[in-house]
Amino acid sequence: MGEQVFAFKQFSVDHENAAFKVGTDACLLGCWVNISKVQSVLDIGTGSGVISLIIAQRCNAVIEAIDIDKSSALQAKRNFEKSPWKERLVSHNQSLQQYEDKNQSRFDLIICNPPFFRGSTPRSNLRSHVARHETDLTFMNLLDAAKKLTSENGRLAFVLPLNRWNENKELANTLGWFERRKLEIKPTESKKANRVLVELSQKPQKY
């Protein structure tokens, strides 16, 4: 086990070799997402696998996790293998595009902590840059692929900067996705919300 380890109630996460480390956003998303009637999950850009592990702790779903970064996918695999739910967790070293082309499965839930940033100067650490920037995965890529990979009543959940969701909500609607749940997050009580957890489905909300 590496030196960089997070301990949770029923599992621990080593993220020493993951391109994107365990953070508050991923933990909040994994704890907040609705897992009612969820039997199958796809975790896109899994990193250390923390979101998959949180969901595995909350329900009995079979979970597939993918990451374009080889070291991250291997880190997730090791974390899965030492967890109490290793029979239900699988890690693949694949991009979303590669996975989409070869996979025929449909998922009740697709979850993603996607790249946040656009147009900024690339970091010297290329792995970190790819994990945090829209280099290989755009929001439109995510919406298109999720539409093909979700089951009839499947949902897509993610965390984004609030301004990015406000910019992209109309795009999501145009592509046939509708907001089901949303939670805005403030960094402190006195500051404005800067992150948002969002859950979409392909069926409009009934009021």
Side-chain angles (χ1 to χ4, degrees):
M1 184 179 293
E3 296 179 356
Q4 300 182 37
V5 179
F6 273 72
F8 292 80
K9 185 175 181 180
Q10 297 183 47
F11 64 93
S12 61
V13 177
D14 185 343
H15 66 172
E16 185 177 23
N17 296 317
F20 202 22
K21 308 304 182 185
V22 173
T24 303
D25 292 334
C27 295
L28 287 173
L29 181 60
C31 293
W32 173 82
V33 68
N34 179 11
I35 44 81
S36 174
K37 299 181 181 179
V38 169
Q39 298 298 317
S40 58
V41 178
L42 175 63
D43 177 9
I44 298 171
T46 191
S48 62
V50 62
I51 293 177
S52 290
L53 287 162
I54 291 172
I55 293 175
Q57 180 177 281
R58 297 180 59 207
C59 68
N60 295 319
V62 174
I63 303 168
E64 292 198 40
I66 62 174
D67 203 294
I68 194 172
D69 181 72
K70 184 177 181 179
S71 293
S72 295
L74 289 173
Q75 183 88 81
K77 181 180 179 181
R78 288 193 290 269
N79 286 327
F80 293 168
E81 288 174 346
K82 68 184 181 184
S83 78
W85 317 286
K86 59 183 179 181
E87 298 84 1
R88 298 191 280 116
L89 292 158
V90 181
S91 174
H92 304 282
N93 175 211
Q94 288 182 313
S95 68
L96 177 57
Q97 292 84 354
Q98 291 170 327
Y99 187 83
E100 178 188 1
D101 287 343
K102 297 179 180 179
N103 187 73
Q104 300 297 319
S105 301
R106 296 294 179 267
F107 297 91
D108 299 323
L109 174 65
I110 293 180
I111 195 162
C112 183
N113 181 7
F116 282 165
F117 304 103
R118 296 181 302 179
S120 52
T121 303
R123 297 184 175 194
S124 57
N125 184 335
L126 180 60
R127 293 176 62 217
S128 178
H129 174 74
V130 170
R132 294 182 61 84
H133 293 72
E134 288 189 5
T135 304
D136 294 283
L137 177 64
T138 67
F139 192 61
M140 181 174 285
N141 292 154
L142 175 63
L143 295 173
D144 280 338
K147 195 161 188 179
K148 299 173 186 175
L149 292 168
T150 47
S151 58
E152 181 181 357
N153 295 310
R155 290 171 281 115
L156 170 63
F158 50 84
V159 54
L160 280 178
L162 182 56
N163 66 318
R164 292 298 314 285
W165 173 236
N166 291 335
E167 293 170 3
N168 285 284
K169 184 175 180 179
E170 185 174 346
L171 170 64
N173 293 158
T174 301
L175 294 176
W177 288 102
F178 302 92
E179 187 179 289
R180 304 287 290 190
R181 299 172 68 226
K182 181 178 74 171
L183 178 65
E184 295 184 4
I185 302 167
K186 296 180 178 181
T188 66
E189 187 176 356
S190 62
K191 293 184 178 181
K192 294 182 179 180
N194 65 348
R195 287 283 193 272
V196 62
L197 307 177
V198 181
E199 190 174 291
L200 306 178
S201 77
Q202 297 179 55
K203 295 184 178 180
Q205 181 76 50
K206 294 182 179 179
Y207 296 98

